[in-house]
C-alpha cells in the first residue's frame, strides 16, 4: 500500500460457467490469472512503470489489479471486456475500463477513445496506447474480463538481477497505437 | 500486498437499519466485525492457510476480506448472504460468494455447488467444504453478510508463539462436507 | 495492509466527460486526486486518526480510500455524492457514504443522519461530524465524488518531523457539528 507499482501485465479471457461467478472464474482462468486474490484498483500507470509478460506467481497472494468485467445469462448475447492503457514517456499513464454488450472491435474503439480523453484532460502527451480485450458469446452464463495486474518490481514479484524484457500485452489485442 | 494470507476467519450476520448502509453496518456488527476497514478481495484460499476463530484486532485496521453482501428495503423480503469455502489439503482452495432473495438452505446449497464447480474447473481435489451464511427477513431496510477475513499470520495479526487451534467457522452454518 | 491509517484527507468534486468513467475521472481531478490508484475501503476512522489537508503525493501510488460516487447520463439530472465523517475523541469513528439523485443540502443531511445512527449503534459518543459533498447538474455524462483518503502517517505519506496542523476538510462542506 502507498507505493507505486513498477510493472503491469495485461491479460484477457472469457468463458462459460454454471453461474455468473463461476463464468467469471473461468474467464480469469482463460486469462491465466484465476488463482489470485484480486483487489480492484482505479487506474493510473505510475511514471516509469513497464508492461511485462505475466510472470510466475504463487497461488493466493493479494494482488492489486484494474478490471473490466462483464457477465450475462442471456443466451446469444455478445459481451466484451476491454482495458485501454495509455502511456506517456515522461509522465504517468491512464487505464480505462470498458465493458459492454457488443463486439470486440467496438469495445476496443471505446476504450481507446476513453484513454485519449483521459490524457487530454490531464494535458499529457499520449505516446502509446495498448488495448487488451476479450469477447464472449453467451451460451448459458458467460463472462469476459480484461485485467491489468500491478507488480511491485520491474520484473514482477522479485527484484530482478537483470531487467525483464519489455513485451507487448499477451493474448488479446495488444497493439501499439 | 503481494503476500498470501495465512489464516481465514469466517463470520456472518444480519440486521436492520435506517438505510441499507446502516443495515449493512448492523449486519457486520452482528457478525462481530463492524469496526474494520475492509478491502474487498476475490477469492482464493492460499495453500496451507487455515480457518481460525475470529482473533482480537484493533479498530480501524485495513483488512482484506471476501464478502457476500445483500441488502433490501422491501418489507417481508427474505435475503441470504453465503460464502462457500473449499479446501484442498495439498493445494490452494476457492471461496465463492453468493447472495440472493431466498432462504438460507437454498443459498447454502448454491454456494456449495459453486465451490464444487470451481474445484472441478481447476482439476483440484476438494477435501473439505465449509459454508457460512446469514438469512434476514426485512422489516424496513435489512442486510445480510458473510465474510472471510484474511489474516497475515496463522494466529491472526501476530506471529503466534504457538499455533492457534483450528476451529470450525463461527456461528452460521459451518460444517464439514 | 493490516495497519490503521493515521490521518484522513476529505475532498469532493464533480465534472462532465464523454463517458461515465471519464466524468468520474474529471470529478476526481476536480477534487485534486485524479492521479492515484484507489482501493475502495469501508469505513472506520481509527482511534486517534486526524483529518489533514490533502498532502503532496507521487502519481500512481496504491491509495486506500472511502468513496461516495455517482454518475448519470440523464441531462438535467442533479446528483450529489457525500461522506459523513463522525469522530469520537476517545474511540474510533465512522464514515458513511451516500450518493443520490438530489441536491447537496438533502444529501448532506442524509449522510449526517447515517453517521448519527452508526454511533448510536456502537454506543459511542459522537464528538464531531464533518460532511464533505459535491453536487453536479448533468449535461451529457456527469459524475460527483466525495473521497476520504487514508494516510499511513499523521502528516500523510512521510513520518513528519513535526505534526501537521489539523485542518477542516477542504472545499466542499466541512463543518463542525
Amino acid at each position: 500500500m502507498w507505493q507505486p507499482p513498477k510493472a503491469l501485465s495485461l491479460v484477457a479471457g472469457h468463458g462459460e460457467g454454471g453461474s455468473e461467478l463461476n463464468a467469471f472464474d473461468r474467464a480469469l482462468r482463460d486469462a491465466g490469472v484465476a488463482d489470485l486474490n484480486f483487489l480492484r484498483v482505479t487506474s493510473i500507470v505510475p511514471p516509469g512503470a513497464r508492461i511485462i509478460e505475466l510472470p510466475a506467481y504463487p497461488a493466493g497472494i493479494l494482488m492489486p489489479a484494474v478490471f473490466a468485467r462483464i457477465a450475462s445469462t442471456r443466451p446469444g448475447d455478445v459481451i466484451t471486456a476491454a482495458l485501454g492503457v495509455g502511456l506517456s514517456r515522461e509522465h504517468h499513464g491512464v487505464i480505462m475500463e470498458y465493458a459492454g454488450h457488443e463486439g470486440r472491435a467496438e469495445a476496443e474503439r471505446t476504450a481507446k477513445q476513453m484513454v485519449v480523453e483521459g490524457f487530454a484532460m490531464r494535458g499529457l502527451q499520449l505516446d502509446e496506447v495498448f488495448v487488451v480485450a476479450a469477447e464472449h458469446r453467451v451460451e448459458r452464463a458467460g463472462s469476459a474480463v480484461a485485467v491489468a495486474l500491478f507488480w511491485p518490481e520491474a520484473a514482477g514479484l522479485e527484484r530482478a538481477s537483470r531487467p525483464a524484457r519489455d513485451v507487448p500485452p499477451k493474448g488479446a489485442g495488444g497493439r501499439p497505437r
Side-chain angles (χ1 to χ4, degrees), chain A:
Chain A
M1 207 70 84
W2 298 294
Q3 64 183 294
K6 295 201 184 132
L8 290 78
S9 299
L10 305 179
V11 298
H14 65 101
E16 285 285 312
S19 69
E20 289 196 358
L21 185 58
N22 285 107
F24 173 61
D25 198 24
R26 174 72 71 172
L28 286 176
R29 187 173 174 86
D30 184 47
V33 295
D35 292 332
L36 289 161
N37 278 312
F38 284 110
L39 292 104
R40 192 170 195 165
V41 167
T42 68
S43 333
I44 297 296
V45 183
R50 300 174 325 140
I51 297 177
I52 62 171
E53 206 168 339
L54 191 66
Y57 56 84
I61 60 171
L62 296 171
M63 173 63 55
V66 182
F67 269 91
R69 168 180 178 174
I70 189 167
S72 167
T73 54
R74 203 169 54 198
D77 207 4
V78 171
I79 54 178
T80 300
L83 290 180
V85 181
L87 302 179
S88 169
R89 249 183 301 278
E90 304 293 326
H91 297 278
H92 54 283
V94 172
I95 306 178
M96 289 286 171
E97 309 94 321
Y98 179 73
H101 294 260
E102 60 196 44
R104 180 164 158 178
E106 195 178 338
E108 288 185 349
R109 211 160 30 239
T110 301
K112 186 180 282 189
Q113 176 49 37
M114 291 166 72
V115 169
V116 168
E117 183 178 338
F119 271 73
M121 184 192 84
R122 287 170 173 80
L124 293 177
Q125 182 179 321
L126 179 55
D127 289 316
E128 222 176 352
V129 181
F130 295 99
V131 182
V132 63
E135 176 188 311
H136 185 72
R137 180 175 300 271
V138 177
E139 293 165 29
R140 179 174 153 208
S143 178
V145 297
V147 188
L149 298 90
F150 279 179
W151 302 103
E153 301 295 340
L157 288 173
E158 301 291 337
R159 200 174 296 263
S161 47
R162 54 193 187 96
R165 278 179 316 117
D166 283 304
V167 296
K170 204 186 155 184
R175 88 260 314 254
R177 190 171 164 232

